[in-house]
Amino acid sequence: MKIDAVDLFYLSMPEVTDAADGSQDALLVRVAAGGHIGWGECEAAPLPSIAAFVCPKSHGVCRPISDSVLGHRLDGPDDIARISATVGYNSMDLLQAPHMLSGIEMALWDLLGRRLSAPAWALLGYSASHGKRPYASLLFGDTPQETLERARAARRDGFGAVKFGWGPIGRGTVAADADQIMAAREGLGQDGDLMVDVGQIFGEDVEAAAARLPTLDAAGVLWLEEPFDAGALAAHAALAGRGARVRIAGGEAAHNYHMAQHLMDYGRIGFIQIDCGRIGGLGPAKRVADAAQARGITYVNHTFTSHLALSASLQPFAGLEADRICEYPAAPQQLALDITGDHIRPDAEGLIRAPEAPGLGLQVAASALRPYLVETEIRIGGQLIYRTPQL
């Protein structure tokens, strides 16, 4: 079958704030081929991503992504890899291409799985979908008391693992950060897994990050996430060599396999976190998962938006029984919740699994999304090259 259409839908909450919350808007992707439909979601700003799909070519290797997708054959996993490689070559100078491709590639796995009546994880080569322990992904409160209350609420909601990130962390004193981290530990309890995400706040300043290590160890924090700029490999390695018990985590900013590989090989991280909506989709994420296994590094999904994105993020490591911890969007915006009519919920043991149903295993709730739809047109020289399609 051939890819007949790729439709892009810009969705948004009525108000988008400065909060580090990626669930406030979304770019949903619908792919049609051979009478089948697949859905994906980009973890990227919607408008630049739409432009990357439709823009006129600048030269031979700066072409719109549409040139490498529409009309191409889709009969098996090898075709998805071929399409991705074609996009990578034809759009190598179009820097938004990996983010836009991620949602398309995700939708291709969903479509192919539905056509072949197989879950995406099976098409990736796994024989089973193992249970994962979800951690609630939350923002630090403005005060330690707010953080304490959020941690207690997460524990009441059944989460034995919580990651706190962003907010005021790293922006004030070492003592202020210690208060926040200890409040999170108190609210979660001593037996819960606690992780801390500082969102690249320290740039390349190893000493500033190292000053927080004693508190992180005292609080029994499992990992410190993204202490530095994504490409600051030497800084990551230097911090990892300081002898703290807390491990370094990173990788969500990787938009290709090699960026993730370099973090593992040269950044000395202990946890590699991959976002299928950024790295190019499920195929590259599975490649990272395989590489992490060979290096003794724990693979973790990254997702903070919808359950469609959550399902996609689970597929590349669904069959890894030992890598059991996973990010779970515990408090997303209503938009993210409304993208699918069904959600991935913890079972009686508190575990979640990539769905057994074909493709990504979830149904997009198109009618519920119409209030969030941002009607958009792109014209060049008076010619219409993009208009919001029918949802």
Side-chain angles (χ1 to χ4, degrees):
M1 60 182 175
K2 291 186 177 181
I3 298 174
D4 301 313
V6 175
D7 295 322
L8 310 175
F9 303 96
Y10 176 11
L11 309 170
S12 179
M13 292 291 291
E15 179 184 2
V16 175
T17 72
D18 290 338
D21 178 356
S23 67
Q24 298 182 83
D25 67 5
L27 180 59
L28 201 60
V29 180
R30 182 177 65 196
V31 176
H36 301 274
I37 296 293
W39 292 92
E41 181 183 347
C42 300
E43 176 57 27
L47 280 176
S49 300
I50 293 171
F53 187 76
V54 300
C55 66
K57 66 181 175 184
S58 294
H59 52 77
V61 292
C62 192
R63 307 182 199 181
I65 296 167
S66 58
D67 281 4
S68 305
V69 177
L70 293 174
H72 285 250
R73 294 208 60 80
L74 177 63
D75 294 314
D78 288 347
D79 291 320
I80 298 179
R82 175 183 49 76
I83 290 168
S84 295
T86 303
V87 171
Y89 186 82
N90 288 342
S91 303
M92 68 171 68
D93 285 349
L94 186 62
L95 296 186
Q96 194 70 12
H99 286 181
M100 183 66 255
L101 172 63
S102 296
I104 295 171
E105 199 258 18
M106 193 185 299
L108 295 178
W109 285 104
D110 188 40
L111 188 154
L112 189 62
R114 293 174 188 276
R115 183 196 181 198
L116 300 177
S117 298
W121 53 260
L123 297 179
L124 287 167
Y126 291 124
S127 59
S129 172
H130 293 290
K132 309 295 181 184
R133 187 184 188 206
Y135 68 81
S137 189
L138 303 172
L139 300 176
F140 276 106
D142 290 336
T143 66
Q145 184 62 35
E146 288 183 22
T147 297
L148 174 70
E149 292 168 359
R150 289 179 185 181
R152 285 175 173 168
R155 197 61 193 258
R156 287 194 301 269
D157 289 341
F159 289 100
V162 176
K163 183 182 79 178
F164 278 98
W166 298 78
I169 204 76
R171 300 181 183 277
T173 65
V174 174
D177 285 355
D179 289 342
Q180 285 277 6
I181 292 166
M182 288 304 182
R185 169 52 72 194
E186 180 182 347
L188 180 60
Q190 294 303 312
D191 60 336
D193 285 331
L194 175 62
M195 291 74 74
V196 171
D197 178 0
V198 295
Q200 304 185 18
I201 194 66
F202 300 121
E204 298 179 63
D205 191 341
V206 175
E207 295 306 319
R212 274 76 178 173
L213 293 178
T215 296
L216 294 167
D217 277 353
V221 172
L222 182 62
W223 75 56
L224 173 64
E225 182 174 331
E226 288 207 306
F228 308 117
D229 295 342
L233 303 179
H236 282 84
L239 189 64
R242 289 299 181 97
R245 291 191 302 275
V246 65
R247 306 288 297 281
I248 309 303
E252 68 178 77
H255 56 254
N256 59 52
Y257 166 78
H258 300 290
M259 291 179 69
Q261 179 191 28
H262 293 162
L263 269 173
M264 293 188 287
D265 290 346
Y266 307 120
R268 297 178 57 189
I269 63 174
F271 296 87
I272 183 72
Q273 303 162 299
I274 297 301
D275 196 313
C276 287
R278 294 177 180 172
I279 199 168
L282 277 60
K286 173 62 163 56
R287 187 181 177 192
V288 175
D290 291 342
Q293 292 293 292
R295 291 161 172 77
I297 294 171
T298 301
Y299 183 98
V300 185
N301 66 316
H302 175 270
T303 183
F304 197 76
T305 55
S306 73
H307 282 249
L308 181 68
L310 174 61
S311 176
S313 76
L314 291 171
Q315 308 292 331
F317 78 128
L320 302 181
E321 191 169 6
D323 293 3
R324 290 173 59 84
I325 194 164
C326 70
E327 185 166 27
Y328 188 88
Q333 298 290 324
Q334 191 62 43
L335 162 60
L337 293 173
D338 288 345
I339 285 178
T340 57
D342 41 358
H343 297 148
I344 299 172
R345 301 295 188 191
D347 61 17
E349 299 177 1
L351 304 178
I352 65 171
R353 288 175 172 80
E356 300 280 343
L360 299 182
L362 299 178
Q363 299 299 321
V364 168
S367 60
L369 296 178
R370 292 191 180 103
Y372 301 106
L373 199 58
V374 179
E375 295 291 342
T376 305
E377 288 187 357
I378 300 177
R379 292 180 180 271
I380 297 177
Q383 180 181 358
L384 180 69
I385 63 170
Y386 169 83
R387 172 181 288 156
T388 300
Q390 282 291 113
L391 184 60

Short mmCIF file of all heavy atoms in Angstrom, two decimals, residues 133-137 140 161-165 181 185 193-198 213 216-217 219-227 239 245-250 252 269-273 298-302 324-328:
data_model
loop_
_atom_site.label_atom_id
_atom_site.label_comp_id
_atom_site.label_asym_id
_atom_site.label_seq_id
_atom_site.Cartn_x
_atom_site.Cartn_y
_atom_site.Cartn_z
N ARG A 133 6.83 0.18 36.18
CA ARG A 133 6.41 0.92 37.37
C ARG A 133 6.33 2.41 37.03
O ARG A 133 7.36 3.05 36.82
CB ARG A 133 7.40 0.70 38.51
CG ARG A 133 6.93 1.30 39.83
CD ARG A 133 7.99 1.13 40.90
NE ARG A 133 7.47 1.53 42.21
CZ ARG A 133 8.22 1.96 43.21
NH1 ARG A 133 9.53 2.04 43.05
NH2 ARG A 133 7.68 2.30 44.36
N PRO A 134 5.14 2.97 36.98
CA PRO A 134 5.02 4.37 36.55
C PRO A 134 5.42 5.33 37.66
O PRO A 134 5.08 5.14 38.83
CB PRO A 134 3.53 4.51 36.23
CG PRO A 134 2.86 3.52 37.13
CD PRO A 134 3.82 2.36 37.25
N TYR A 135 6.15 6.36 37.28
CA TYR A 135 6.39 7.43 38.25
C TYR A 135 5.60 8.66 37.82
O TYR A 135 5.49 8.98 36.64
CB TYR A 135 7.88 7.74 38.41
CG TYR A 135 8.61 8.37 37.24
CD1 TYR A 135 8.54 9.73 36.98
CD2 TYR A 135 9.42 7.59 36.42
CE1 TYR A 135 9.24 10.31 35.94
CE2 TYR A 135 10.13 8.16 35.36
CZ TYR A 135 10.04 9.51 35.13
OH TYR A 135 10.73 10.08 34.09
N ALA A 136 5.01 9.31 38.80
CA ALA A 136 4.27 10.54 38.53
C ALA A 136 5.27 11.64 38.21
O ALA A 136 6.20 11.89 38.96
CB ALA A 136 3.43 10.92 39.74
N SER A 137 5.07 12.27 37.08
CA SER A 137 5.96 13.34 36.65
C SER A 137 5.30 14.67 37.00
O SER A 137 4.30 15.06 36.41
CB SER A 137 6.21 13.24 35.15
OG SER A 137 7.21 14.12 34.73
N PHE A 140 7.96 20.93 40.61
CA PHE A 140 8.16 21.44 41.96
C PHE A 140 7.17 22.57 42.23
O PHE A 140 6.83 23.35 41.33
CB PHE A 140 9.58 21.99 42.13
CG PHE A 140 10.62 20.96 42.46
CD1 PHE A 140 11.53 20.56 41.50
CD2 PHE A 140 10.70 20.40 43.72
CE1 PHE A 140 12.52 19.61 41.79
CE2 PHE A 140 11.66 19.46 44.03
CZ PHE A 140 12.57 19.05 43.07
N ALA A 161 6.47 6.08 43.11
CA ALA A 161 7.63 6.74 42.52
C ALA A 161 7.17 8.08 41.96
O ALA A 161 6.11 8.18 41.33
CB ALA A 161 8.24 5.89 41.41
N VAL A 162 7.96 9.12 42.20
CA VAL A 162 7.61 10.48 41.77
C VAL A 162 8.88 11.18 41.30
O VAL A 162 9.95 11.05 41.92
CB VAL A 162 6.97 11.30 42.90
CG1 VAL A 162 6.70 12.73 42.45
CG2 VAL A 162 5.67 10.66 43.37
N LYS A 163 8.75 11.92 40.20
CA LYS A 163 9.82 12.82 39.76
C LYS A 163 9.34 14.25 39.86
O LYS A 163 8.27 14.58 39.33
CB LYS A 163 10.24 12.53 38.33
CG LYS A 163 11.42 13.41 37.86
CD LYS A 163 11.79 13.14 36.42
CE LYS A 163 10.84 13.81 35.44
NZ LYS A 163 11.22 13.58 34.04
N PHE A 164 10.11 15.07 40.56
CA PHE A 164 9.84 16.50 40.61
C PHE A 164 10.84 17.24 39.75
O PHE A 164 12.04 16.91 39.75
CB PHE A 164 9.92 17.01 42.05
CG PHE A 164 8.68 16.77 42.85
CD1 PHE A 164 8.58 15.68 43.70
CD2 PHE A 164 7.59 17.62 42.74
CE1 PHE A 164 7.43 15.44 44.43
CE2 PHE A 164 6.43 17.41 43.47
CZ PHE A 164 6.35 16.31 44.32
N GLY A 165 10.37 18.25 39.04
CA GLY A 165 11.27 18.99 38.18
C GLY A 165 10.89 20.44 38.01
O GLY A 165 9.81 20.88 38.40
N ILE A 181 13.89 19.53 47.94
CA ILE A 181 14.14 18.09 47.76
C ILE A 181 13.72 17.31 49.00
O ILE A 181 13.09 16.24 48.90
CB ILE A 181 15.63 17.86 47.43
CG1 ILE A 181 15.94 18.45 46.05
CG2 ILE A 181 15.97 16.37 47.46
CD1 ILE A 181 17.42 18.60 45.76
N ARG A 185 10.87 14.35 49.51
CA ARG A 185 11.10 13.07 50.16
C ARG A 185 10.13 12.84 51.32
O ARG A 185 9.58 11.74 51.47
CB ARG A 185 12.55 13.00 50.65
CG ARG A 185 12.86 11.83 51.57
CD ARG A 185 12.43 10.50 50.97
NE ARG A 185 13.28 10.09 49.87
CZ ARG A 185 12.96 9.13 49.01
NH1 ARG A 185 11.79 8.51 49.09
NH2 ARG A 185 13.78 8.81 48.03
N ASP A 193 10.44 5.79 45.36
CA ASP A 193 11.52 6.24 44.47
C ASP A 193 11.32 7.71 44.14
O ASP A 193 10.25 8.11 43.65
CB ASP A 193 11.51 5.42 43.17
CG ASP A 193 12.06 4.02 43.36
OD1 ASP A 193 12.91 3.83 44.24
OD2 ASP A 193 11.62 3.11 42.63
N LEU A 194 12.34 8.50 44.41
CA LEU A 194 12.29 9.93 44.15
C LEU A 194 13.35 10.30 43.12
O LEU A 194 14.51 9.91 43.25
CB LEU A 194 12.53 10.72 45.45
CG LEU A 194 12.62 12.25 45.32
CD1 LEU A 194 11.31 12.84 44.80
CD2 LEU A 194 13.01 12.88 46.66
N MET A 195 12.94 11.04 42.10
CA MET A 195 13.85 11.54 41.07
C MET A 195 13.73 13.06 40.99
O MET A 195 12.68 13.60 41.30
CB MET A 195 13.53 10.92 39.71
CG MET A 195 13.84 9.44 39.61
SD MET A 195 12.66 8.37 40.47
CE MET A 195 11.25 8.46 39.38
N VAL A 196 14.79 13.71 40.55
CA VAL A 196 14.82 15.17 40.46
C VAL A 196 15.27 15.58 39.06
O VAL A 196 16.30 15.10 38.56
CB VAL A 196 15.74 15.79 41.53
CG1 VAL A 196 15.93 17.29 41.28
CG2 VAL A 196 15.18 15.55 42.93
N ASP A 197 14.52 16.48 38.44
CA ASP A 197 14.80 16.99 37.10
C ASP A 197 15.04 18.49 37.21
O ASP A 197 14.15 19.24 37.61
CB ASP A 197 13.59 16.70 36.19
CG ASP A 197 13.76 17.22 34.78
OD1 ASP A 197 14.82 17.81 34.47
OD2 ASP A 197 12.83 17.04 33.98
N VAL A 198 16.25 18.94 36.84
CA VAL A 198 16.56 20.37 36.95
C VAL A 198 16.54 21.08 35.61
O VAL A 198 16.86 22.27 35.52
CB VAL A 198 17.91 20.60 37.67
CG1 VAL A 198 17.83 20.13 39.11
CG2 VAL A 198 19.05 19.91 36.95
N LEU A 213 24.73 17.60 45.23
CA LEU A 213 24.87 16.15 45.36
C LEU A 213 24.68 15.64 46.79
O LEU A 213 24.02 14.62 47.00
CB LEU A 213 26.21 15.70 44.80
CG LEU A 213 26.40 15.86 43.28
CD1 LEU A 213 27.79 15.40 42.87
CD2 LEU A 213 25.34 15.08 42.51
N LEU A 216 20.99 15.41 47.48
CA LEU A 216 20.38 14.36 46.66
C LEU A 216 20.68 12.99 47.25
O LEU A 216 19.79 12.12 47.31
CB LEU A 216 20.90 14.45 45.22
CG LEU A 216 20.49 15.71 44.45
CD1 LEU A 216 21.30 15.85 43.17
CD2 LEU A 216 18.99 15.69 44.12
N ASP A 217 21.91 12.78 47.71
CA ASP A 217 22.24 11.49 48.32
C ASP A 217 21.54 11.32 49.66
O ASP A 217 21.06 10.24 49.99
CB ASP A 217 23.76 11.37 48.49
CG ASP A 217 24.45 10.90 47.23
OD1 ASP A 217 23.75 10.54 46.25
OD2 ASP A 217 25.70 10.89 47.19
N ALA A 219 18.74 12.46 50.52
CA ALA A 219 17.32 12.21 50.28
C ALA A 219 17.08 10.90 49.55
O ALA A 219 15.93 10.53 49.28
CB ALA A 219 16.71 13.36 49.48
N GLY A 220 18.15 10.19 49.22
CA GLY A 220 18.00 8.92 48.51
C GLY A 220 17.43 9.07 47.12
O GLY A 220 16.65 8.23 46.66
N VAL A 221 17.81 10.14 46.42
CA VAL A 221 17.29 10.40 45.07
C VAL A 221 17.92 9.41 44.09
O VAL A 221 19.13 9.18 44.11
CB VAL A 221 17.58 11.86 44.65
CG1 VAL A 221 17.22 12.10 43.18
CG2 VAL A 221 16.80 12.82 45.55
N LEU A 222 17.09 8.82 43.24
CA LEU A 222 17.54 7.80 42.31
C LEU A 222 18.35 8.39 41.17
O LEU A 222 19.39 7.85 40.78
CB LEU A 222 16.33 7.04 41.74
CG LEU A 222 16.61 5.89 40.77
CD1 LEU A 222 17.42 4.80 41.46
CD2 LEU A 222 15.30 5.32 40.23
N TRP A 223 17.86 9.51 40.59
CA TRP A 223 18.64 10.15 39.54
C TRP A 223 18.46 11.66 39.55
O TRP A 223 17.45 12.19 40.04
CB TRP A 223 18.31 9.58 38.17
CG TRP A 223 17.01 9.99 37.51
CD1 TRP A 223 16.56 11.25 37.23
CD2 TRP A 223 16.00 9.09 37.01
NE1 TRP A 223 15.35 11.20 36.59
CE2 TRP A 223 14.99 9.90 36.44
CE3 TRP A 223 15.88 7.71 36.97
CZ2 TRP A 223 13.84 9.35 35.86
CZ3 TRP A 223 14.75 7.17 36.40
CH2 TRP A 223 13.74 7.98 35.84
N LEU A 224 19.48 12.34 39.02
CA LEU A 224 19.45 13.78 38.76
C LEU A 224 19.36 13.93 37.26
O LEU A 224 20.28 13.54 36.53
CB LEU A 224 20.69 14.46 39.32
CG LEU A 224 20.86 15.95 38.95
CD1 LEU A 224 19.73 16.78 39.54
CD2 LEU A 224 22.22 16.47 39.40
N GLU A 225 18.27 14.53 36.81
CA GLU A 225 17.99 14.57 35.37
C GLU A 225 18.37 15.91 34.75
O GLU A 225 18.08 16.97 35.30
CB GLU A 225 16.50 14.32 35.16
CG GLU A 225 16.05 14.29 33.72
CD GLU A 225 14.59 13.88 33.59
OE1 GLU A 225 14.09 13.13 34.46
OE2 GLU A 225 13.94 14.31 32.62
N GLU A 226 19.05 15.82 33.61
CA GLU A 226 19.41 16.97 32.79
C GLU A 226 20.00 18.13 33.59
O GLU A 226 19.49 19.24 33.57
CB GLU A 226 18.19 17.46 32.01
CG GLU A 226 17.79 16.53 30.88
CD GLU A 226 17.08 17.26 29.76
OE1 GLU A 226 16.10 17.95 30.03
OE2 GLU A 226 17.54 17.15 28.61
N PRO A 227 21.11 17.88 34.29
CA PRO A 227 21.73 18.99 35.01
C PRO A 227 22.34 20.03 34.08
O PRO A 227 22.48 21.20 34.46
CB PRO A 227 22.81 18.29 35.85
CG PRO A 227 23.12 17.04 35.11
CD PRO A 227 21.83 16.61 34.48
N LEU A 239 30.49 15.34 36.39
CA LEU A 239 29.58 15.19 37.53
C LEU A 239 29.40 13.73 37.90
O LEU A 239 29.37 13.38 39.09
CB LEU A 239 28.23 15.83 37.21
CG LEU A 239 27.26 15.93 38.39
CD1 LEU A 239 27.81 16.85 39.48
CD2 LEU A 239 25.89 16.44 37.92
N ARG A 245 26.13 8.78 45.02
CA ARG A 245 25.30 7.60 44.75
C ARG A 245 24.26 7.91 43.68
O ARG A 245 23.87 7.02 42.92
CB ARG A 245 24.61 7.12 46.04
CG ARG A 245 25.55 6.53 47.06
CD ARG A 245 24.78 5.84 48.19
NE ARG A 245 23.86 6.73 48.87
CZ ARG A 245 24.21 7.54 49.87
NH1 ARG A 245 25.47 7.57 50.29
NH2 ARG A 245 23.32 8.32 50.46
N VAL A 246 23.75 9.13 43.65
CA VAL A 246 22.74 9.49 42.67
C VAL A 246 23.34 9.38 41.27
O VAL A 246 24.48 9.77 41.04
CB VAL A 246 22.20 10.91 42.95
CG1 VAL A 246 23.28 11.97 42.77
CG2 VAL A 246 21.00 11.22 42.06
N ARG A 247 22.58 8.81 40.34
CA ARG A 247 23.04 8.66 38.95
C ARG A 247 22.52 9.84 38.12
O ARG A 247 21.53 10.49 38.47
CB ARG A 247 22.51 7.35 38.37
CG ARG A 247 22.85 6.11 39.20
CD ARG A 247 24.31 5.73 39.12
NE ARG A 247 24.72 5.36 37.79
CZ ARG A 247 24.48 4.16 37.24
NH1 ARG A 247 23.80 3.23 37.91
NH2 ARG A 247 24.91 3.89 36.02
N ILE A 248 23.18 10.06 37.00
CA ILE A 248 22.80 11.14 36.10
C ILE A 248 21.90 10.56 35.01
O ILE A 248 22.15 9.48 34.48
CB ILE A 248 24.03 11.80 35.45
CG1 ILE A 248 25.05 12.19 36.53
CG2 ILE A 248 23.61 13.04 34.65
CD1 ILE A 248 24.51 13.09 37.60
N ALA A 249 20.83 11.30 34.69
CA ALA A 249 19.88 10.89 33.65
C ALA A 249 19.79 11.97 32.59
O ALA A 249 19.93 13.16 32.88
CB ALA A 249 18.50 10.62 34.25
N GLY A 250 19.55 11.55 31.36
CA GLY A 250 19.37 12.51 30.28
C GLY A 250 19.02 11.80 28.98
O GLY A 250 19.00 10.58 28.91
N GLU A 252 16.34 13.19 26.76
CA GLU A 252 15.06 13.61 26.17
C GLU A 252 15.27 14.60 25.03
O GLU A 252 14.42 14.71 24.14
CB GLU A 252 14.15 14.22 27.23
CG GLU A 252 14.62 15.55 27.78
CD GLU A 252 13.66 16.13 28.80
OE1 GLU A 252 13.66 15.66 29.95
OE2 GLU A 252 12.90 17.04 28.44
N ILE A 269 26.19 8.76 31.59
CA ILE A 269 24.91 8.78 32.30
C ILE A 269 24.51 7.36 32.69
O ILE A 269 24.95 6.39 32.09
CB ILE A 269 23.80 9.44 31.45
CG1 ILE A 269 23.56 8.64 30.16
CG2 ILE A 269 24.14 10.88 31.13
CD1 ILE A 269 22.39 9.14 29.35
N GLY A 270 23.67 7.27 33.72
CA GLY A 270 23.20 5.96 34.19
C GLY A 270 21.82 5.60 33.70
O GLY A 270 21.43 4.43 33.72
N PHE A 271 21.05 6.61 33.27
CA PHE A 271 19.69 6.41 32.75
C PHE A 271 19.57 7.19 31.45
O PHE A 271 19.88 8.38 31.40
CB PHE A 271 18.63 6.90 33.74
CG PHE A 271 18.59 6.15 35.04
CD1 PHE A 271 19.41 6.53 36.10
CD2 PHE A 271 17.73 5.07 35.21
CE1 PHE A 271 19.37 5.84 37.30
CE2 PHE A 271 17.69 4.38 36.41
CZ PHE A 271 18.52 4.76 37.46
N ILE A 272 19.12 6.53 30.39
CA ILE A 272 18.92 7.19 29.11
C ILE A 272 17.43 7.33 28.87
O ILE A 272 16.69 6.35 28.84
CB ILE A 272 19.61 6.44 27.95
CG1 ILE A 272 19.46 7.20 26.63
CG2 ILE A 272 19.14 4.99 27.83
CD1 ILE A 272 20.27 8.46 26.55
N GLN A 273 16.97 8.57 28.73
CA GLN A 273 15.53 8.87 28.62
C GLN A 273 15.23 9.37 27.20
O GLN A 273 15.75 10.40 26.78
CB GLN A 273 15.16 9.96 29.63
CG GLN A 273 15.50 9.59 31.06
CD GLN A 273 15.52 10.83 31.95
OE1 GLN A 273 16.29 11.75 31.75
NE2 GLN A 273 14.64 10.85 32.94
N THR A 298 20.24 1.91 32.05
CA THR A 298 18.79 1.72 32.14
C THR A 298 18.07 2.64 31.16
O THR A 298 18.30 3.85 31.15
CB THR A 298 18.29 2.00 33.56
OG1 THR A 298 18.96 1.12 34.47
CG2 THR A 298 16.79 1.77 33.66
N TYR A 299 17.19 2.04 30.36
CA TYR A 299 16.37 2.82 29.41
C TYR A 299 15.09 3.25 30.13
O TYR A 299 14.44 2.45 30.82
CB TYR A 299 16.03 1.97 28.19
CG TYR A 299 15.23 2.70 27.12
CD1 TYR A 299 15.85 3.25 26.02
CD2 TYR A 299 13.84 2.84 27.23
CE1 TYR A 299 15.13 3.91 25.03
CE2 TYR A 299 13.11 3.51 26.26
CZ TYR A 299 13.76 4.04 25.16
OH TYR A 299 13.04 4.71 24.20
N VAL A 300 14.73 4.51 29.93
CA VAL A 300 13.50 5.06 30.50
C VAL A 300 12.80 5.87 29.41
O VAL A 300 13.45 6.58 28.65
CB VAL A 300 13.78 5.98 31.71
CG1 VAL A 300 12.48 6.45 32.35
CG2 VAL A 300 14.66 5.27 32.74
N ASN A 301 11.49 5.75 29.34
CA ASN A 301 10.75 6.60 28.39
C ASN A 301 10.69 8.03 28.90
O ASN A 301 10.79 8.30 30.10
CB ASN A 301 9.33 6.07 28.20
CG ASN A 301 8.51 6.17 29.47
OD1 ASN A 301 8.99 5.85 30.56
ND2 ASN A 301 7.27 6.60 29.36
N HIS A 302 10.50 8.96 27.99
CA HIS A 302 10.20 10.34 28.36
C HIS A 302 8.88 10.72 27.72
O HIS A 302 8.71 10.60 26.51
CB HIS A 302 11.28 11.31 27.88
CG HIS A 302 10.93 12.75 28.14
ND1 HIS A 302 10.24 13.52 27.24
CD2 HIS A 302 11.14 13.53 29.21
CE1 HIS A 302 10.05 14.73 27.74
NE2 HIS A 302 10.59 14.76 28.94
N ARG A 324 12.25 -1.31 34.29
CA ARG A 324 10.85 -1.32 34.73
C ARG A 324 10.28 0.04 35.09
O ARG A 324 9.07 0.16 35.28
CB ARG A 324 10.71 -2.24 35.94
CG ARG A 324 10.88 -3.71 35.61
CD ARG A 324 10.90 -4.56 36.87
NE ARG A 324 9.69 -4.43 37.67
CZ ARG A 324 8.57 -5.10 37.45
NH1 ARG A 324 8.49 -5.94 36.43
NH2 ARG A 324 7.51 -4.93 38.25
N ILE A 325 11.12 1.06 35.21
CA ILE A 325 10.58 2.34 35.64
C ILE A 325 10.22 3.18 34.42
O ILE A 325 10.92 3.15 33.40
CB ILE A 325 11.57 3.09 36.56
CG1 ILE A 325 10.87 4.26 37.27
CG2 ILE A 325 12.81 3.54 35.80
CD1 ILE A 325 11.64 4.79 38.44
N CYS A 326 9.09 3.88 34.49
CA CYS A 326 8.66 4.66 33.32
C CYS A 326 7.97 5.94 33.76
O CYS A 326 7.35 6.00 34.82
CB CYS A 326 7.74 3.84 32.43
SG CYS A 326 6.11 3.51 33.12
N GLU A 327 8.11 6.95 32.91
CA GLU A 327 7.46 8.23 33.19
C GLU A 327 5.98 8.14 32.85
O GLU A 327 5.59 7.53 31.86
CB GLU A 327 8.11 9.35 32.38
CG GLU A 327 7.54 10.72 32.71
CD GLU A 327 8.39 11.86 32.18
OE1 GLU A 327 9.10 11.66 31.18
OE2 GLU A 327 8.35 12.94 32.79
N TYR A 328 5.17 8.78 33.69
CA TYR A 328 3.72 8.75 33.52
C TYR A 328 3.21 10.18 33.71
O TYR A 328 3.46 10.80 34.75
CB TYR A 328 3.10 7.82 34.55
CG TYR A 328 1.63 7.55 34.35
CD1 TYR A 328 1.19 6.52 33.54
CD2 TYR A 328 0.66 8.33 35.00
CE1 TYR A 328 -0.16 6.25 33.37
CE2 TYR A 328 -0.70 8.07 34.83
CZ TYR A 328 -1.11 7.04 34.02
OH TYR A 328 -2.46 6.78 33.85
#
